[in-house]
Amino acid sequence: MPARAYLDHAASSPIRPQVAEQMAQDLAEGLGGWANPSSQHASGQRVAGLLAQARAKIAQALGVNAHEVILTSGGTEASALVIAGRARAVPGGRLVVSPIEHPAVLESARTAAEQLGADVSVLEVDGAGRVVLGSVAAALAPSGQEPAAPVSLVSVMAANNETGVVQDMAAVVGEVRRATGVERPGRPGYVPVHSDVVAALGKTAVDFHGWGLDAMSLSGHKLGAPVGVGALVVRRDLELRPVTGGGGQERGIRSGTQDVVGARALALAVELAVGEREAEAARLGALRDRLLRAVAALDGVHATLPAGVAHLPSTAHLWFEDAQAEALLMALDMAGIDASAGSACHAGVAQPSHVMLAMGFEEGPARSTLRCSLGRETSPDDVERLLSALPAALEGARRAWKATHKTAGEHF
């Protein structure tokens, strides 16, 4: 049986061979559990030293300070920690989020509203999913609210995990600073900004200090590390109230015995991903462009992002007229092609994309989407295999769509 064409790297990427080799060696040497990095004996301190080295390597690759790196189980936990941590640090405060955020941010904000009494304000995005800068000032100082609740955090993802649209994060942060009139942390009225960079890291430039961020979340398994490792980069003076208690590890924000093997795997994956970013972006961008040019010739197939919009080189997001997404994915799956309809965190849930709805799409197109995300292992043959299988798969998806609609000529 021929190898499958894996076009779902935005959901998860295979572990890099270098990372797997390092992990195997670490586990063989006993780093998987025989010494606790919090222990004071020699073995524990040796492991603590390896943990510090991993943290420093992550920091160097990201251009941040080692004390700003908090190790987590992944991007979801990192985002949840900063959302809940700020809601707890500013009781009755307001969280400002974009409508196209990952559920890690949106659901955490909703939970903070329900359980911690936080207010939530939602920014506007344009038809490409870019934050409308004018909505930032409106969200920070909403009319008719006297007195306005203090803003505890603004959260905008650097690149969307579904469509691949890239935000101008420096402009977003600049608008926050302009709207509040406070630029320096620690001053009254200062509003911290968080960005989920899970989809962006290794695909486009990420600049924590250059953008002026206060916190950012990242995940290892999108970069070639194993599932279960990630990090929250957060300024040392940003107050986050921990969600749980424990031994005070990771600056008290995430207590618990650290996974040294996982931290070392994350460090290596981040280092490799950042180092190869420019070359991979050029290679994957060419494959993405080939895919989009070819599908443009198919009737009723549309690229979700308009031409000229900044986007990840690795993501091609499409929507289809009169086609059932489930049938399309099933046909591609049977043809040996792995792709998705959108965020893997909503896999199996029959609902329209909240990202596309926020962009102004009707429910029909928002239900009939395909995300093809490319990665290190993606070859030109993988793209050609998709293009070869797509017409027949689309024909079947349209038959399935017609069967579920009462009026044969019904259209979005």
Side-chain angles (χ1 to χ4, degrees):
M1 178 181 294
R4 297 182 66 85
Y6 186 74
L7 301 177
D8 202 18
H9 286 264
S12 193
S13 273
I15 296 180
R16 293 172 180 266
Q18 305 98 311
V19 173
E21 181 179 355
Q22 176 182 277
M23 290 183 68
Q25 183 174 349
D26 284 350
L27 291 170
E29 293 178 355
L31 295 188
W34 63 265
N36 189 317
S38 296
S39 298
Q40 296 304 306
H41 51 63
S43 294
Q45 290 305 292
R46 172 179 173 272
V47 174
L50 293 174
L51 181 66
Q53 291 174 12
R55 197 187 309 274
K57 182 181 286 190
I58 294 169
Q60 182 176 14
L62 297 176
V64 302
N65 297 318
H67 66 256
E68 294 175 318
V69 178
I70 305 297
L71 298 169
T72 71
S73 65
T76 291
E77 185 194 19
S79 292
L81 285 174
V82 74
I83 295 292
R86 287 303 294 164
R88 292 167 66 89
V90 186
R94 192 151 41 86
L95 300 165
V96 177
V97 301
S98 92
I100 66 168
E101 297 299 301
H102 188 277
V105 167
L106 293 179
E107 294 300 323
S108 293
R110 186 173 295 115
T111 298
E114 295 172 352
Q115 299 182 5
L116 301 175
D119 287 337
V120 179
S121 296
V122 181
L123 300 171
E124 298 176 15
V125 295
D126 63 15
R130 297 169 296 193
V131 168
V132 176
L133 295 180
S135 72
V136 175
L140 293 177
S143 60
Q145 185 173 334
E146 295 292 343
V151 177
S152 53
L153 187 73
V154 173
S155 186
V156 175
M157 67 195 322
N160 186 259
N161 57 301
E162 289 190 29
T163 67
V165 68
V166 173
Q167 302 288 345
D168 185 344
M169 286 305 305
V172 171
V173 176
E175 190 64 15
V176 172
R177 305 291 174 248
R178 186 197 66 76
T180 60
V182 183
E183 296 187 359
R184 299 188 63 180
R187 298 290 179 86
Y190 181 82
V191 174
V193 181
H194 161 259
S195 185
D196 169 359
V197 302
V198 170
L201 188 61
K203 308 297 189 306
T204 188
V206 170
D207 191 350
F208 182 80
H209 290 296
W211 290 345
L213 294 176
D214 301 277
M216 72 180 186
S217 308
L218 60 109
S219 186
H221 72 104
K222 309 299 177 81
L223 305 171
V227 172
V229 292
L232 172 65
V233 179
V234 58
R235 282 193 304 98
R236 191 63 181 261
D237 57 354
L238 179 64
E239 183 183 5
L240 296 180
R241 295 281 178 87
V243 177
T244 62
Q249 294 92 341
E250 301 302 312
R251 289 167 41 189
I253 294 172
R254 185 184 188 263
S255 293
T257 303
Q258 294 103 327
D259 176 6
V260 180
V261 174
R264 282 170 47 79
L266 176 64
L268 180 55
V270 170
E271 182 180 58
L272 292 172
V274 172
E276 71 187 16
R277 178 184 64 80
E278 292 186 1
E280 271 294 272
R283 186 182 75 85
L284 296 180
L287 293 178
R288 176 189 186 273
D289 291 346
R290 160 63 181 149
L291 193 161
L292 291 179
R293 284 195 304 270
V295 299
L298 299 176
D299 183 49
V301 181
H302 308 273
T304 301
L305 295 183
V309 170
H311 59 268
L312 295 178
S314 54
T315 300
H317 195 270
L318 311 169
W319 68 271
F320 305 87
E321 298 177 13
D322 305 343
Q324 188 183 85
E326 293 86 348
L328 179 65
L329 290 172
M330 184 178 296
L332 291 176
D333 189 28
M334 293 180 67
I337 299 164
D338 299 321
S340 68
S343 173
C345 293
H346 281 159
V349 180
Q351 61 184 18
S353 164
H354 74 280
V355 173
M356 293 190 66
L357 292 177
M359 292 164 60
F361 284 88
E362 297 294 332
E363 183 172 329
R367 286 183 179 274
S368 301
T369 62
L370 180 69
R371 181 186 68 182
C372 301
S373 48
L374 320 178
R376 300 180 311 278
E377 292 77 14
T378 306
S379 69
D381 287 344
D382 293 327
V383 173
E384 296 306 319
R385 187 170 175 179
L386 169 69
L387 295 177
S388 177
L390 189 57
L394 182 56
E395 182 179 351
R398 287 188 166 140
R399 286 197 302 268
W401 184 89
K402 290 180 180 179
T404 59
H405 290 71
K406 295 181 180 179
T407 305
E410 187 177 346
H411 200 276
F412 293 142

